[in-house]
Amino acid sequence: EEWQEQGAAVTARRETDGSGQPQTRIVKKGVKDFNFGRTLGEGSYSTVLAATDRQTLKEYAIKVLDKRHIIKEKKVKYVNIERDTLNRLTEHPGIVRLYYTFQDERSLYFVLDLASGGELLGVLKKMGSFDIECTRFYGAEILDSVAYMHSRGVIHRDLKPENVLLDHEMHVKITDFGTAKILPDPQKSGIGSQEAPGDLTDGADTERAVSFVGTAEYVSPELLRDKNACKASDLWAFGCIIYQLLAGRPPFKAANEYLTFQKILALDYTFPDGFPEVARDLVERLLVLEPSNRLPVEHIKSHQFFDGVQWSKSLWRQKAPRLK
Ligand code: ADE
């Protein structure tokens, strides 16, 4: 079997064996331990269902992946990437946490944080656009999460408002690490943490670089030009998201993917009237063709647009602003 079980996915149950002595057995969580509820989302290889742990009554989102379909379509590697990256990103409130994995004959199961507020895209569409205060708040939570994943050596590579979920208190939970990249450990390999040369150079990754340009609007110019993604590629996408929250539409949008790519490569976008000047300055420092000339995370955090934001823990303890 090519599927690996997750060692941490265990729970202890105290039982007696008839001798009167309590026995502690380690029991892995399985399908039987959950009550499954409504469908939260559907992808090409998976369905996400709401579920409740029968013992603790804690609610989760369980991603159910069809093993036959994944093998047939040669996506095993990406399922493993998703599990491996999520297992690396357990210490941050802004990233959907993976609690358990298990399988039965037909399916793989990923037990995840439930983000009951749905996608940021859905909320944005309902509102049309966000004001500067809401954009600052959601932008800050997204950036703090991206900074954490980069510090753990993970590039997301498909950041977009559909992949930014919201929990019951409207705090950010980033999801969908199926196209992420784990950078080699800089200590071990001698490669600097800013860039990983050779990223996306093996055959399978090149194939994916093409196939995961499903979200044309947020793709970075370096990915289109060199099929090469780096940490700064996530910051390009972040610039597109900040623009979209304020403008109500992404900066690069055309009738089809090809024309969208042409616009991206030509940096062909404009700001709508009334776009706040300080946000315009930030976006112009992120939507820069050369990745090494984009503002790095620490400079984004100290940009005037984020003035007044309490970075780190207090951001996540703050009450989310009322949408307007
Ligand atoms: N849709 C996809 N993943 C989800 C999650 N973790 N919570 C809620 N809805 C989702």
Side-chain angles (χ1 to χ4, degrees):
E1 261 296 2
E2 46 220 301
W3 315 106
Q4 281 170 41
E5 295 281 336
Q6 190 160 330
V10 290
T11 181
R13 280 184 198 153
R14 289 176 71 75
E15 293 168 359
T16 48
D17 65 351
S19 68
Q21 294 286 66
Q23 302 276 301
T24 299
R25 237 192 285 169
I26 302 299
V27 181
K28 197 177 192 309
K29 289 259 189 222
V31 178
K32 290 193 212 70
D33 293 304
F34 297 90
N35 288 326
F36 287 81
R38 66 192 189 281
T39 301
L40 299 168
E42 271 171 295
S44 15
Y45 307 95
S46 64
T47 302
V48 181
L49 301 167
T52 308
D53 184 319
R54 295 154 73 100
Q55 285 184 305
T56 65
L57 301 183
K58 184 173 156 68
E59 287 190 287
Y60 295 94
I62 301 189
K63 187 168 184 171
V64 184
L65 301 108
D66 182 62
K67 292 201 274 194
R68 262 186 51 203
H69 189 202
I70 289 164
I71 292 168
K72 198 170 79 205
E73 301 292 321
K74 298 189 160 54
K75 303 294 175 188
V76 173
K77 188 178 161 190
Y78 306 125
V79 172
N80 289 332
I81 285 172
E82 178 160 26
R83 185 203 57 212
D84 294 345
T85 51
L86 286 173
N87 277 330
R88 251 184 188 241
L89 305 175
T90 55
E91 305 288 301
H92 199 276
I95 293 168
V96 163
R97 187 165 157 193
L98 178 63
Y99 292 87
Y100 315 103
T101 62
F102 45 81
Q103 58 182 309
D104 57 20
E105 201 163 342
R106 223 180 129 182
S107 308
L108 301 175
Y109 298 83
F110 287 6
V111 181
L112 302 160
D113 271 324
L114 175 68
S116 56
E119 297 173 0
L120 182 61
L121 183 68
V123 176
L124 180 65
K125 284 196 165 162
K126 211 176 282 172
M127 304 296 302
S129 62
F130 287 178
D131 69 358
I132 197 163
E133 185 200 352
C134 288
T135 304
R136 181 182 297 117
F137 175 78
Y138 289 104
E141 290 205 338
I142 295 166
L143 184 66
D144 197 56
S145 308
V146 169
Y148 169 74
M149 66 177 91
H150 287 182
S151 77
R152 300 286 296 133
V154 173
I155 310 173
H156 188 287
R157 299 202 292 194
D158 197 18
L159 283 177
K160 54 181 174 177
E162 292 99 305
N163 288 340
V164 178
L165 303 181
L166 301 164
D167 71 10
H168 64 292
E169 289 179 311
M170 297 300 276
H171 285 278
V172 160
K173 296 268 182 207
I174 294 180
T175 191
D176 202 352
F177 288 80
T179 50
K181 167 89 183 169
I182 300 184
L183 296 171
D185 187 334
Q187 261 100 54
K188 283 184 191 151
S189 67
I191 296 168
S193 61
Q194 275 307 105
E195 269 178 321
D199 204 353
L200 286 180
T201 46
D202 70 277
D205 270 1
T206 306
E207 214 172 281
R208 179 159 57 137
V210 177
S211 66
F212 95 80
V213 178
T215 329
E217 283 84 5
Y218 308 88
V219 166
S220 62
E222 61 273 17
L223 202 111
L224 294 173
R225 236 180 359 238
D226 325 319
K227 296 197 172 25
N228 192 358
C230 54
K231 288 178 179 176
S233 312
D234 283 344
L235 300 178
W236 171 278
F238 177 71
C240 292
I241 294 170
I242 294 291
Y243 178 106
Q244 184 174 0
L245 295 182
L246 286 163
R249 58 174 168 82
F252 306 100
K253 197 164 172 55
N256 59 51
E257 286 197 347
Y258 177 78
L259 292 173
T260 301
F261 296 157
Q262 284 198 320
K263 285 193 164 188
I264 291 168
L265 289 166
L267 201 65
D268 176 10
Y269 78 104
T270 57
F271 291 95
D273 288 342
F275 196 94
E277 198 54 45
V278 59
R280 179 183 173 131
D281 185 84
L282 175 62
V283 169
E284 283 177 343
R285 293 175 196 271
L286 292 170
L287 301 185
V288 172
L289 291 176
E290 171 53 43
S292 60
N293 292 338
R294 272 169 227 151
L295 217 53
V297 166
E298 287 314 310
H299 287 79
I300 304 171
K301 286 187 171 181
S302 58
H303 189 278
Q304 196 192 338
F305 178 75
F306 287 116
D307 270 3
V309 171
Q310 305 274 335
W311 293 101
S312 77
K313 291 250 194 313
S314 55
L315 177 61
W316 300 90
R317 284 197 289 258
Q318 191 187 324
K319 197 168 172 299
R322 232 176 68 83
L323 290 164
K324 51 198 163 334

